[in-house]
Amino acid sequence: MLGYATIGVNDMPRATAFYDELLGELGVSRLFGMDRIQFYGTGPGAAMLAICIPYNEETQHPGNGNMIAIPGGSQEGVDSLYAKAISLGATDEGEPGQRLPTFYGAYVRDLDGNKLCFFEMGG
């Protein structure tokens, strides 16, 4: 259902360093891009995350209510991604923990203030 989601950044080298390290924990890498946009994923046909300098070249602002949710693969994976993001300079928006009987999650804001959720859905 989802092809890709795009979030804005203000400093592409800083943002790619953050996302290269963070998403590398999941075996995700940069697939393609150009100066103002980079696409991350696991391969052709899979959902991707893109980071970009806004097309209108104005300052990026994180959306109110927007969030990118990234599967952690397990509760331990969620914990690891959260710790990695924090070590790379992300800010805490909710430490890892059980949110619902079937949802374990953690929340951070990336270097540009975009909200990320790392999660595991279980039965």
Side-chain angles (χ1 to χ4, degrees), residues 4 12-13 18 21 26 29 33 46 48 51 53-54 57-58 60-61 63 83 88 91 100 105 107 109-110 112 120:
Y4 67 92
M12 186 58 78
F18 178 86
E21 288 267 341
L26 298 170
S29 62
M48 295 177 288
I51 59 172
I53 301 292
E57 298 181 358
E58 292 181 11
Q60 171 274 352
H61 300 285
L88 293 169
T91 56
L100 300 167
Y107 302 87
R109 291 209 180 255
D110 73 5
D112 289 288
E120 168 64 17

Side-chain angles (χ1 to χ4, degrees), residues 6-8 61-69 108-109 113-117:
T6 304
I7 55 176
H61 300 285
N64 186 21
N66 296 345
M67 181 176 69
I68 302 295
V108 300
R109 291 209 180 255
N114 296 300
K115 192 170 186 179
L116 305 175
C117 171

Side-chain angles (χ1 to χ4, degrees), residues 22-78:
L22 179 65
L23 298 177
E25 296 285 307
L26 298 170
V28 171
S29 62
R30 274 192 264 171
L31 298 177
F32 60 91
M34 53 188 182
D35 291 345
R36 60 167 289 280
I37 190 166
Q38 295 293 319
F39 289 82
Y40 289 85
T42 56
M48 295 177 288
L49 173 65
I51 59 172
C52 72
I53 301 292
Y55 185 75
N56 64 8
E57 298 181 358
E58 292 181 11
T59 301
Q60 171 274 352
H61 300 285
N64 186 21
N66 296 345
M67 181 176 69
I68 302 295
I70 300 170
S74 66
Q75 289 184 5
E76 294 78 15
V78 169

